[in-house]
Amino acid sequence: MTARDHIAVGLAKIGMVLRSHAWRQAEATGLTPTQAQILVHLVRRGPARVSALADEIAVSQPTASDAVAALIRKGHVEKRADPDDGRAAKLHAKATAKRTVARMEVWPDALLEAAHVLDPIEQSAFLKGLTKMIRTLQVSGAVPVQRMCVTCQYFRPNQYPGAAEPHHCAFVNAAFGNADLRLDCGDHVEAAAATQEKAWARFNRASA
Ligand code: SF4
């Protein structure tokens, strides 16, 4: 087996931990993992259309529609007219949804503890590697668009070559290192394609 195969095996094992955690949460909350993902999205990011939810959690629209119908039946979600388009509807989380999400553990303790055993240099290298893999998966269409630094209009990779914190975020106007690269940032704004390509080339410079 090659190093690539070993990495894939390792990621599959981490995926097992996440899947088993998702099903435990499902048992505790009475929701399926897909319903739970939709509920977390609506509570944390606000109202959305079914099509946007399907894109966000990488399921088909019929699957998202079924999960939404179940969430409406369970009293967690309601449909309201979309103020931007009178013919469309957006889904809104109800108070019960917010209470349910507040009770959920987003990440399994075992996974957080496993990440904690990495020292700061290992965490930094791991996060940079994950960023590169997830960006590649996004470009190939294998995962939905991610709100990550490397696609953000505020990202200035390797603005300070050789520094411990080589990158710059123009949104908060501060330097940061690979250990602080975001994979899901609420302040993310998608950069134009040409800007992303330039940033990607600069991010991959060996000096970082
Ligand atoms: S706004 Fe967020 S995603 Fe964009 S560069 Fe800053 S930290 Fe990264």
Side-chain angles (χ1 to χ4, degrees):
M1 289 213 310
T2 65
R4 288 187 312 180
D5 296 324
H6 294 308
I7 289 169
V9 170
L11 291 174
K13 289 184 187 301
I14 290 173
M16 277 168 44
V17 175
L18 290 169
R19 268 198 307 282
S20 126
H21 174 74
W23 281 106
R24 273 203 307 279
Q25 292 269 34
E27 276 173 20
T29 57
L31 304 173
T32 67
T34 304
Q35 291 164 14
Q37 276 182 290
I38 288 175
L39 210 58
V40 168
H41 188 282
L42 290 175
V43 167
R44 298 214 169 136
R45 297 211 203 158
R49 294 186 187 179
V50 173
S51 55
L53 291 169
D55 287 347
E56 183 65 32
I57 64 169
V59 296
S60 68
Q61 194 149 329
T63 299
S65 296
D66 286 349
V68 164
L71 288 168
I72 291 173
R73 278 198 309 277
K74 291 174 184 177
H76 289 303
V77 167
E78 63 187 352
K79 268 187 192 174
R80 291 188 212 154
D82 184 344
D84 299 326
D85 180 353
R87 291 166 306 171
K90 274 191 169 176
L91 299 152
H92 293 248
K94 294 168 77 174
T96 167
K98 291 171 190 165
R99 287 195 294 273
T100 300
V101 168
R103 287 203 321 268
M104 288 182 186
E105 278 173 25
V106 179
W107 304 114
D109 286 344
L111 188 60
L112 295 175
E113 280 165 26
H116 190 64
V117 303
L118 301 177
D119 67 34
I121 292 173
E122 290 168 333
Q123 285 181 356
S124 177
F126 190 53
L127 195 47
K128 184 172 183 186
L130 274 179
T131 297
K132 292 173 85 165
M133 287 186 71
I134 292 168
R135 195 261 189 189
T136 304
L137 289 167
Q138 177 180 314
V139 169
S140 71
V143 296
V145 171
Q146 306 294 310
R147 303 186 301 176
M148 52 202 301
C149 287
V150 289
T151 60
C152 179
Q153 73 171 28
Y154 297 116
F155 188 45
R156 309 284 184 269
N158 289 322
Q159 182 154 314
Y160 316 108
E165 295 187 324
H167 314 307
H168 187 87
C169 170
F171 182 78
V172 292
N173 195 24
F176 67 102
N178 288 327
D180 289 313
L181 285 165
R182 303 294 179 86
L183 296 172
D184 188 19
C185 174
D187 300 317
H188 174 273
V189 176
E190 189 84 358
T195 307
Q196 284 191 35
E197 285 307 317
K198 271 191 209 157
W200 183 238
R202 200 174 163 93
F203 177 68
N204 283 301
R205 281 187 187 165
S207 61

